Amino acid sequence: MPAANPLLTLENLNVHFGNAKAPAVKDVSLTLHDGEVLALVGESGSDKSVTVKSIMRLIDHQGGHISAGRILLHQQNGAAPLDLVKLSQPRMRALRGAHIAMIFQDPMTSLNPVMTIGAQLLEVIQQHQPHNTDKAKATAIAMLEKVRLTDPAGRMRQYPHELSGGMRQRVMIAMALVCRPRILIADEPTTALDVTVQAEILGLIRSLQQETGMSVLFITHDMGVVAEIADRVAVMLNGRIVEQGNVLDVFDTPQHDYTRKLLESAPKFRDEHARIKAAVPDAQRTAPILAVRHLSTQFPVHSAFLRRHVANLHAVEDISFDLHPRETVAIIGESGCGKSTLAKSLLRLVPSNEGRAFLNGQDLFTLTGEELRHARRNIQMIFQDPYAALDPRMSVRQILTEPLRIRGLGQTAQGSDAALQELVAKVGLPKGTLDRYPHQFSGGQRQRICIARALVLSPKVLIADEPVSALDVAIQGQILDLLEGLKHSEDMALLFISHDMAVVERVADRILVMYRGSVVEQGPARNVLSNPAHPYTQRLLEAVPVAHPRQRFARNAASAVTAAPVYPLGMERPLARWKDLGEGHRLRLDAGLVS
Amino acid sequence: MLLYFIKRLAGAVPVLIVVSGIIFALMQLAPGDAVTMLISDEASEADKARIREAWGLDRPPFIQFLNFLGNALTGDFGMSFRYKMPVIEIVMDRLPATIELAVAATLIAVGVGVPLGVLAAARPGTAWDAIASAFSFAGISMPNFWLGILLILLFAGYFNILPSGGREPWGLGVEHVTGFLIIDSILAGRWDALGAALKHLALPAIVLGTNMTGIITQMTRAQVLDALREDFVMTARSKGVSEARVLWRHAFRNAMVGVVTIIGLEFGTLLSGAMIVETVFAWPGIGSLLITGISSRDFPLIIGLVLVYTGMFIVMNLLIDLFYTLIDPRIRMN
């Protein structure tokens, strides 16, 4: 580690909110050294964010105040350190953005939507450096180039909504670093991003840190991200620092139970103990329960003027696959790749343009009325956010019997108290669940209620759209185990949509990789994960944060462009050509390759 | 852009037709007609029938309506029964007074309400906030005829510094070019006339704007408070931007969409309030004209005036939509 000159020291910091008796941040002492990346780790609710907002004294605007302790900013010229706790807001303002800068979690909401990127960058330059406008503009454009944005001069005139999430986070970083601060505070800067974009942003922060020699205080809940970026780690639990040390020491010999728990529950991709399921030879298979053939779903794109239909967004393009009983097929890909549209098309929640989907031999797309309603019983779905998926004004009993009532089955045996109790027990919910309301349950329990609701009609196929990504890591495992068990006990097949490779590795029998609406690679989970053939699959797998700091490698900070699959009207895409790599592992040859 | 405006204005034509249909139907339902209201009771039934025939009131209502529509499309809104003049002339003569009053009231409401709301939002829970709230609720709950009479008593009666009514003193002699007294005075270089016009305008405009001021204050406060909780405000503060800039440049600019929306909606309320205020202050606008028209069952005049009101509301909201695109780049004209 570099010479340990302290740059910022927190001494016994306590932060209170309003008139609350107990402090939110308790007795936190922390040192950030010159040129290091210090990760502050902890689960949601551990008040990491409060701690760093206290350093910036931004907490003053959120009803908090520092009740005890010091925050010392050490000066380069050997002068006595500044105690930020005692500084007036105007003096603090001169430091913010110039000496200490900050980037935030959600790049979609952290930029002012009504100001151009240029205006927001110039604002911070002109606040701290008495430049003339031309010089400030040149500085801003140079900075945008530094964060690897294409066409930096053109970006200056754009508004935030014209940029993707990853690009906006780059703009945030440019804004934070344009006045060359000595300290960058990054508050979960990659949590809201896709895994490939996360990898790019982590690479970018790393390389800018090395270029400028600044210190980074990096807040995260993800031990994988810590392994990627940190020199030192401080672990926070309930507003206290419970352990801090060198990143290798913390990963190799964690001292505190909580650190150990964090490390254990962290999703481990390509862990040596992981059991990736082997391919099932075709001979042993029964007939598919769901067979999808050449499914395409397009959305019309209208012009701004007169709303003419000018193009089509090919959200799902010529997708074919089989789903066998008791099998899990995982669909992986980034947001916007069409995986959720595929699921909605199968449920006929969005109309499809072409293709067939045979459920038990019946084509879902030709059914109407009563037949469709009947067929739909056999294909059910659970969603990502268990908080939004349940009506807060309905009791669990009402929630579970609603699908039955809709189908006129309310009075049958399935709706009886005994059957419901059995169902509730099956998904691992406590007795007495039926007459309680969703808000009385935790996130994991709510997802169990959603699963029970899907099971009440005894479906043959369960579509799970990112079913665990809104849950804490420890809970994720339990829900995945539950789904795996139900697959066998209920004789269901599972179509599992996810962007999380560690989760997919754990559940998938087979994998479909979706990129810009098309499947570019498919095959048994083991083959796809260990020998990814398509460049996009490779990029997706490489982007997964490493499990241990020793496995770190230099990441490319430039972004790969993924344009939405919008094509002019009447455009015929050529039929898919596949290369067989053995054991059912197939690579698409003609789909748009990653640049 | 220009095309968009033409499209929007063309879209207003069906609205105007439907509105005139509704007014027509309502007038048929109301008891009495222009003949019973305007002609002496002593006139013989034969005379009344003759007049009804002359005014076309003897024909079936639906035919009357179609006649009206046909004429209206050529710009002929008929003759006023009471004034014996073309409706369009009477309306055009008095419309500027109402527009002048409505614009002045809106400017007062925006000029007072917006800063007050922003100030309250910047210091929530303080005395400033409490004063702004008290002021705005008083404004919202004050009936404007009552406030008008009160202010006339105070400023015209007790202090005697402002006129109690009317639009200009007799014999001012400023040529009516645009019909807007303030603009005409400036065009003529008559500063004394301008002062007189402003003095006459002050009380009615304040009274008319009071209600809107209160609503804009509340709306601005709520919108700015919401905006101040947004993530980008935190970003701005983390850049070291001053609080005043955070408030106006970041929070207020984002709050403006909501504030402008409420101005557009409240403009309708303001126009109906103008009828009362014009009556209280003897302001020669179309509001007092409409009340006269209604009491004499002057059908052509009533329909013409209601259409003018509808048109003003449509134009105001078109302007609001245009304004949206200026303040928020995410809103496009379609």
Side-chain angles (χ1 to χ4, degrees):
Chain A
M1 275 327 318
N5 280 332
L7 188 55
L8 183 77
T9 313
L10 275 58
E11 287 179 0
N12 308 101
L13 190 70
N14 281 275
V15 179
H16 277 79
F17 277 98
N19 299 320
K21 283 214 178 74
V25 170
K26 305 171 193 82
D27 226 12
V28 164
S29 296
L30 203 61
T31 304
L32 178 67
H33 298 103
D34 223 350
E36 77 171 353
V37 179
L38 172 64
L40 187 57
V41 202
E43 281 174 309
S44 45
S46 60
D47 291 315
K48 320 177 285 286
S49 208
V50 175
T51 311
V52 293
K53 281 176 191 156
S54 310
I55 298 173
M56 292 288 266
R57 293 277 304 282
L58 289 170
I59 207 72
D60 302 25
H61 293 284
Q62 296 185 326
H65 65 277
I66 299 167
S67 43
R70 300 201 294 170
I71 301 171
L72 298 178
L73 178 67
H74 300 271
Q75 312 266 54
Q76 275 166 322
N77 53 16
L82 284 175
D83 185 358
L84 302 187
V85 176
K86 295 207 176 73
L87 285 192
S88 65
Q89 281 289 348
R91 286 201 62 195
M92 205 50 225
R93 268 207 303 277
L95 291 178
R96 282 187 209 134
H99 293 263
I100 313 177
M102 193 160 173
I103 55 177
F104 299 90
Q105 175 168 350
D106 191 350
M108 300 315 238
T109 56
S110 295
L111 289 167
N112 189 334
V114 303
M115 283 168 77
T116 59
I117 304 298
Q120 300 190 53
L121 267 166
L122 292 179
E123 187 176 40
V124 62
I125 299 173
Q126 282 163 344
Q127 187 75 34
H128 298 294
Q129 295 167 355
H131 280 331
N132 62 39
T133 314
D134 285 342
K135 183 142 184 252
K137 253 185 200 151
T139 314
I141 292 173
M143 194 63 224
L144 287 177
E145 204 166 351
K146 252 191 170 165
V147 295
R148 279 78 159 170
L149 274 171
T150 52
D151 184 23
R155 302 280 175 220
M156 295 283 284
R157 288 185 297 275
Q158 284 184 305
Y159 286 93
H161 70 275
E162 298 171 69
L163 307 182
S164 71
M167 282 152 84
R168 291 189 209 188
Q169 199 60 296
R170 284 170 197 270
V171 171
M172 281 297 291
I173 294 174
M175 223 156 68
L177 299 187
V178 74
C179 291
R180 304 187 153 274
R182 292 158 68 203
I183 301 172
L184 173 68
I185 299 176
D187 189 358
E188 303 256 10
T190 60
T191 307
L193 303 174
D194 260 325
V195 62
T196 52
V197 183
Q198 161 167 297
E200 291 162 15
I201 296 292
L202 288 177
L204 179 67
I205 293 177
R206 239 312 171 197
S207 72
L208 289 172
Q209 187 267 332
Q210 279 157 3
E211 272 170 49
T212 60
M214 64 180 175
S215 307
V216 180
L217 181 53
F218 197 106
I219 290 96
T220 181
H221 67 281
D222 184 341
M223 287 312 266
V225 170
V226 176
E228 284 283 343
I229 200 158
D231 298 320
R232 284 199 315 123
V233 186
V235 182
M236 200 159 187
L237 173 65
N238 297 330
R240 282 179 205 283
I241 303 277
V242 294
E243 174 165 2
Q244 53 179 315
N246 184 292
V247 66
L248 290 175
D249 296 342
V250 171
F251 270 77
D252 287 337
T253 52
Q255 300 300 309
H256 196 273
D257 282 345
Y258 180 66
T259 316
R260 244 169 269 144
K261 203 189 113 206
L262 275 182
L263 283 168
E264 273 162 25
S265 61
K268 285 176 196 64
F269 180 55
R270 290 188 170 154
D271 189 27
E272 54 250 56
H273 308 299
R275 120 215 104 86
I276 308 182
K277 296 174 188 168
V280 180
D282 278 344
Q284 290 176 20
R285 286 171 187 258
T286 49
I289 178 78
L290 178 70
V292 177
R293 294 291 174 266
H294 306 292
L295 178 64
S296 293
T297 301
Q298 300 173 358
F299 296 111
V301 177
H302 295 285
S303 67
F305 178 64
L306 293 182
R307 317 268 321 136
R308 278 168 309 154
H309 182 188
V310 289
N312 283 317
L313 173 71
H314 293 223
V316 172
E317 176 97 358
D318 188 17
I319 286 185
S320 304
F321 66 94
D322 287 341
L323 182 63
H324 296 269
R326 303 190 179 191
E327 182 190 40
T328 301
V329 169
I331 299 174
I332 63 176
E334 288 172 293
S335 36
C337 74
K339 18 184 225 303
S340 290
T341 307
L342 172 62
K344 287 182 192 152
S345 303
L346 290 175
L347 289 168
R348 289 186 57 182
L349 294 175
V350 295
S352 300
N353 299 65
E354 268 173 67
R356 287 155 171 267
F358 298 97
L359 181 68
N360 252 343
Q362 266 185 316
D363 186 353
L364 285 173
F365 294 136
T366 58
L367 298 180
T368 50
E370 195 53 43
E371 282 181 324
L372 174 64
R373 247 202 305 284
H374 192 78
R376 265 190 183 150
R377 283 183 58 179
N378 284 322
I379 179 161
Q380 292 291 314
M381 187 159 176
I382 54 176
F383 300 92
Q384 174 171 359
D385 186 354
Y387 290 87
L390 298 171
D391 186 335
R393 283 173 198 82
M394 284 167 83
S395 70
V396 175
R397 182 188 302 277
Q398 288 169 318
I399 289 169
L400 295 185
T401 50
E402 190 179 33
L404 296 170
R405 274 186 281 117
I406 290 169
R407 286 167 180 79
L409 300 169
Q411 304 307 315
T412 59
Q414 281 167 295
S416 70
D417 196 60
L420 292 178
Q421 294 288 5
E422 195 193 320
L423 181 62
V424 162
K426 215 185 283 177
V427 297
L429 285 166
K431 278 189 183 153
T433 292
L434 281 177
D435 295 304
R436 289 160 67 192
Y437 286 84
H439 71 267
Q440 296 169 291
F441 296 92
S442 68
Q445 286 176 319
R446 286 186 208 205
Q447 196 58 292
R448 286 172 194 268
I449 297 173
C450 293
I451 293 172
R453 174 172 59 184
L455 291 183
V456 78
L457 293 167
S458 317
K460 294 287 167 219
V461 174
L462 182 63
I463 301 179
D465 190 356
E466 305 265 9
V468 296
S469 40
L471 305 175
D472 268 342
V473 210
I475 312 294
Q476 288 191 355
Q478 299 167 9
I479 297 291
L480 294 178
D481 288 342
L482 173 68
L483 286 174
E484 186 66 25
L486 288 171
K487 219 170 69 174
H488 294 281
S489 68
E490 305 298 300
D491 197 16
M492 291 188 307
L494 201 56
L495 189 62
F496 195 97
I497 296 170
S498 182
H499 69 277
D500 186 336
M501 296 308 136
V503 166
V504 167
E505 179 182 48
R506 195 171 156 169
V507 300
D509 297 304
R510 282 190 304 127
I511 290 177
L512 304 181
V513 184
M514 271 187 88
Y515 173 61
R516 300 186 68 208
S518 304
V519 171
V520 293
E521 179 169 1
Q522 56 179 309
R526 178 147 64 183
N527 306 45
V528 174
L529 293 178
S530 41
N531 293 309
H534 195 277
Y536 178 70
T537 318
Q538 288 161 2
R539 190 155 72 85
L540 212 52
L541 297 182
E542 251 171 39
V544 178
V546 297
H548 193 284
R550 275 204 197 83
Q551 299 160 358
R552 218 181 262 178
F553 58 96
R555 291 195 178 276
N556 192 352
S559 72
V561 182
T562 307
V566 174
Y567 300 103
L569 295 181
M571 157 100 175
E572 288 284 328
R573 307 257 344 256
L575 280 180
R577 288 191 297 120
W578 295 90
K579 182 180 174 191
D580 201 332
L581 305 172
E583 291 186 311
H585 185 186
R586 298 193 297 158
L587 165 70
R588 184 156 175 172
L589 290 174
D590 50 347
L593 296 185
V594 183
S595 51
Chain B
M1 173 97 162
L2 184 71
L3 219 99
Y4 169 77
F5 270 92
I6 294 170
K7 244 177 70 185
R8 280 286 301 267
L9 286 175
V13 172
V15 175
L16 291 173
I17 291 176
V18 169
V19 165
S20 42
I22 292 172
I23 297 301
F24 216 88
L26 283 175
M27 289 190 308
Q28 295 300 325
L29 292 173
D33 64 8
V35 176
T36 53
M37 303 308 284
L38 291 177
I39 307 300
S40 157
D41 283 343
E42 285 150 31
S44 69
E45 279 306 315
D47 284 344
K48 287 185 180 175
R50 200 172 42 78
I51 294 169
R52 280 203 176 91
E53 194 189 334
W55 287 353
L57 293 174
D58 57 335
R59 281 180 275 179
F62 188 64
I63 302 295
Q64 288 184 42
F65 181 58
L66 286 186
N67 264 337
F68 164 77
L69 274 188
N71 291 334
L73 286 176
T74 63
D76 173 12
F77 289 87
M79 295 284 282
S80 160
F81 298 152
R82 186 172 191 274
Y83 295 96
K84 313 277 187 294
M85 275 168 70
V87 167
I88 193 110
E89 266 179 41
I90 311 174
V91 171
M92 281 306 151
D93 183 45
R94 306 198 35 171
L95 183 60
T98 294
I99 293 180
E100 206 167 61
L101 178 61
V103 168
T106 307
L107 288 180
I108 288 173
V110 172
V112 176
V114 165
L116 209 57
V118 174
L119 203 70
R123 300 170 175 79
T126 61
W128 279 108
D129 191 16
I131 292 169
S133 275
F135 183 83
S136 75
F137 280 119
I140 292 169
S141 27
M142 188 95 68
N144 52 21
F145 69 89
W146 183 78
L147 180 66
I149 293 166
L150 209 70
L151 291 187
I152 289 173
L153 283 176
L154 197 65
F155 288 99
Y158 188 74
F159 292 124
N160 197 17
I161 46 174
L162 289 172
S164 66
R167 197 175 170 211
E168 54 186 314
W170 289 111
L172 196 60
V174 174
E175 197 193 344
H176 285 208
V177 183
T178 60
F180 298 101
L181 210 52
I182 292 175
I183 296 174
D184 287 341
S185 310
I186 294 171
L187 285 179
R190 290 279 303 274
W191 308 117
D192 59 323
L194 179 66
L198 287 174
K199 271 187 166 178
H200 278 83
L201 185 59
L203 285 185
I206 290 170
V207 170
L208 184 56
T210 299
N211 184 276
M212 201 188 202
T213 309
I215 288 166
I216 290 179
T217 307
Q218 283 301 309
M219 193 68 190
T220 307
R221 177 182 182 275
Q223 294 282 322
V224 172
L225 268 181
D226 276 351
L228 280 171
R229 276 190 282 267
E230 297 273 358
D231 289 347
F232 58 78
V233 165
M234 177 82 79
T235 306
R237 285 186 177 134
S238 81
K239 296 198 294 194
V241 171
S242 69
E243 271 308 298
R245 205 176 155 88
V246 165
L247 191 62
W248 288 100
R249 188 81 196 267
H250 290 272
F252 178 63
R253 273 231 33 206
N254 277 278
M256 257 160 80
V257 169
V259 175
V260 166
T261 304
I262 211 72
I263 293 174
L265 291 175
E266 281 300 308
F267 191 70
T269 318
L270 187 114
L271 288 179
S272 60
M275 292 174 210
I276 295 160
V277 172
E278 284 179 13
T279 309
V280 171
F281 285 93
W283 187 263
I286 57 172
S288 43
L289 189 62
L290 181 61
I291 290 173
T292 322
I294 290 171
S295 53
S296 55
R297 301 292 187 278
D298 192 343
F299 293 171
L301 186 61
I302 295 171
I303 292 193
L305 284 171
V306 171
L307 289 185
V308 167
Y309 276 115
T310 312
M312 278 166 79
F313 191 68
I314 290 172
V315 169
M316 183 66 180
N317 279 283
L318 190 57
L319 291 177
I320 297 281
D321 284 353
L322 171 71
F323 213 65
Y324 283 156
T325 64
L326 294 181
I327 43 186
D328 193 334
R330 288 167 297 181
I331 300 173
R332 291 272 154 264
M333 273 181 280
N334 54 42

